[in-house]
Amino acid sequence: MKQSFRALALLAAVFMLQASQAHPTQTRGEEEVDYRQSLYTVMAGNFHPLGAMAEGKMPFNAAEAKLRAERVAFLVPMLKEAFPADSNGVGHTAAKPEIWKDKDGFSKALQLLIDKSAALAVAANTGDADKVKAAVQETGKACKNCHDKFKVKDKD
Amino acid sequence: MKQSFRALALLAAVFMLQASQAHPTQTRGEEEVDYRQSLYTVMAGNFHPLGAMAEGKMPFNAAEAKLRAERVAFLVPMLKEAFPADSNGVGHTAAKPEIWKDKDGFSKALQLLIDKSAALAVAANTGDADKVKAAVQETGKACKNCHDKFKVKDKD
């Protein structure tokens, strides 16, 4: 009993620490925007070296490409839950209201990115630089397709 | 040739869009801190429902626990690259300089979290609520162990 209480107290302390990652006065919508933007930052940070390899700005490294592509393919489907309705128009978001108005269109654009990033991971698994480059370009097009329709231009 | 040029131009445009996720005037160190904090935000966002289930604040859901635990176990090892030396003391970081002074101590604390979050994913795969609760508590202790030593208190 005593041990169970101690464990719960510890867990509560951990959540307080966890919560302190986010701004203490954040609303639910602001937290959701923060989570979404963080997810994009982590995705972009891992897509970036793939793009640099595809553009020849970084030497091709099969192991690095595989690692990065697997991360991108793992992270992208998490976007499905990253646009809850109450994050629409909250704070410094670049997400257009069209995301929630045209749910089918947005789902389709997101699914295209999910499919292309899954194909990117498959390509990276072959270790073939040309296949990776082509798959990076396809993934990049799927990013751009969604940004063109659903992201405010020139906004973080 | 023409097609290849078009593909490269498109890719360059995509990277400009990607880059616009980050603040355009960010230094390399600031970008690294932004990436690190984003990674913690995504981890915390996925650990939170596991904690809520372990604390009884949310009904146990085996599928949800499995999904969240797999994400945490996938994301945590990414922290290994998230503390490059030039992100030490940059901007609004809560990372103590001890991370870079006591590299072995930090690596050990991080490895404990990696091991515990891997065990959490194994536990969540069983679908057993008690096993998940125990593994969440162990993971939480590993978070706290590292925060106590290497994170500035009461800072985002």
Side-chain angles (χ1 to χ4, degrees), chain A residues 15 18 35-36 38-39 74-75 77-79 81-82, chain B residues 38-53 58 64-76 120 136 139:
Chain A
F15 291 127
Q18 295 282 339
Y35 178 85
R36 176 165 72 230
S38 295
L39 184 53
F74 187 93
L75 294 163
M78 291 168 66
L79 287 172
E81 309 141 34
Chain B
S38 294
L39 184 53
Y40 275 107
T41 298
V42 179
M43 276 167 42
N46 284 283
F47 189 64
H48 189 264
L50 288 163
M53 286 183 219
M58 186 191 283
E64 173 86 3
K66 186 173 177 291
L67 177 74
R68 300 293 187 174
E70 278 170 0
R71 288 181 182 172
V72 171
F74 187 93
L75 294 163
V76 164
L120 171 60
V136 167
T139 307

Side-chain angles (χ1 to χ4, degrees), chain B residues 74-91:
Chain B
F74 187 93
L75 294 163
V76 164
M78 292 168 67
L79 287 172
K80 277 182 163 179
E81 309 142 32
F83 293 86
D86 52 2
S87 69
N88 183 0
V90 173

